């Protein structure tokens, strides 16, 4: 079975490159092949892609197990993480419902704008504010996995900046933005910078 999966791996990669929206099942197969070959960073990458597209507790537990075996950081195993995974499973459904209500409510208010009291408009504006907060504050975070061993984390976006630490292949960071050839990441509660060539975005 493992041999057949390995032979099919080039096909899996072609599908991923062409479609860019490969199914979680396909990504899990790719992770399985890479783990069998000893390519643990690639396995973590595909597992994280699958988790992003279909949040599941079982997938995250596998990610944590593999990361702990490789001593990779950035993979919390706590009740908070479990709660986040449960929330992520229903995030887009809840967002879709909120947007439907927003569109329906706005259409109704516009259709009856001459007879609608000002309080209804203020209530609708507050509701839109809640939807915006749900979208921006509670939305999925962008993360990335270190692709190269001995990747430098710097205090600023430049080779002349202070060196903070060296990240290992497989380490996972929350990405807060980019500047030139650098990604701005969260490291121990502080901002750090890593070269874009050293980080694979999970998207």
């Amino acid at each position: 079975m493992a041999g057949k999966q390995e032979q099919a791996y080039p096909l899996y990669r072609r599908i991923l490159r062409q479609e860019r929206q490969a199914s979680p099942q396909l990504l899990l197969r790719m992770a399985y092949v890479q783990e069998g070959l000893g390519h643990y960073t690639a396995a973590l990458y595909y597992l994280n892609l699958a988790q992003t597209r279909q949040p599941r507790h079982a997938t995250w537990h596998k990610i944590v197990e593999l990361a702990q075996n490789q001593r990779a950081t950035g993979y919390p195993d706590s009740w908070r993480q479990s709660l986040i995974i449960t929330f992520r499973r229903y995030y887009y459904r809840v967002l879709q419902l909120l947007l439907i209500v927003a569109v329906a409510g706005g259409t109704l208010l516009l259709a009856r704008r001459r007879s609608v009291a000002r309080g209804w408009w203020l209530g609708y504006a507050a509701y839109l504010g809640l939807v915006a907060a749900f979208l921006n504050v509670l939305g999925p975070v962008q993360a990335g996995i270190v692709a190269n061993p001995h990747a430098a984390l710097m205090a600023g976006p430049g080779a002349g900046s202070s060196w903070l630490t060296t990240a290992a292949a497989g380490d996972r960071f929350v990405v807060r933005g980019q500047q030139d050839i650098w990604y701005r990441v969260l490291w121990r509660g502080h901002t750090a910078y890593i070269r874009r060539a050293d980080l694979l975005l999970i998207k």
Side-chain angles (χ1 to χ4, degrees), residues 10-196:
L11 175 61
Y12 297 159
R13 287 200 65 177
R14 281 200 299 272
I15 294 174
L16 181 61
R17 288 176 178 175
Q18 291 172 1
E19 298 183 4
R20 295 184 178 275
Q21 286 296 327
S23 68
Q25 292 75 21
L26 177 62
L27 293 167
L28 290 174
R29 289 179 196 146
M30 296 173 76
Y32 171 77
V33 173
Q34 291 301 303
E35 183 183 3
L37 294 173
H39 302 159
Y40 300 110
T41 301
L44 282 170
Y45 174 68
Y46 291 127
L47 284 169
N48 273 276
L49 283 179
Q51 179 70 3
T52 298
R53 297 176 187 184
Q54 188 179 70
R56 296 177 58 199
H57 292 281
T59 304
W60 185 254
H61 290 325
K62 176 61 179 177
I63 291 172
V64 171
E65 176 188 345
L66 189 58
Q68 289 178 346
N69 289 340
Q70 300 306 309
R71 298 183 179 179
T73 62
Y75 302 90
D77 186 20
S78 63
W79 66 269
R80 290 183 180 179
Q81 183 64 27
S82 180
L83 189 62
I84 290 172
I85 292 171
T86 301
F87 176 78
R88 294 284 181 246
R89 291 182 64 181
Y90 302 103
Y91 172 80
Y92 289 106
R93 294 180 187 177
V94 174
L95 178 61
Q96 185 180 31
L97 178 61
L98 290 174
L99 292 176
I100 289 173
V101 173
V103 172
T107 303
L108 185 61
L109 287 175
L110 286 174
R112 300 184 177 183
R113 58 183 177 274
R114 294 182 179 178
S115 59
V116 174
R118 184 181 178 185
W120 284 99
W121 287 105
L122 292 176
Y124 182 68
Y127 177 79
L128 291 181
L130 289 174
V131 174
F134 183 87
L135 180 62
N136 296 319
V137 178
L138 301 177
V141 298
Q142 177 68 75
I145 292 180
V146 177
N148 301 317
H150 311 299
L153 282 183
M154 311 297 289
S161 301
S162 300
W163 173 86
L164 296 175
T165 189
T166 299
D171 286 352
R172 185 176 183 269
F173 295 103
V174 173
V175 179
R176 293 291 177 81
Q178 66 181 58
Q179 185 173 339
D180 196 18
I181 64 169
W182 302 85
Y183 282 124
R184 187 170 68 254
V185 300
L186 187 63
W187 175 70
R188 295 184 179 178
H190 301 284
T191 297
Y193 291 84
I194 186 172
R195 290 183 183 273
R196 291 172 60 184

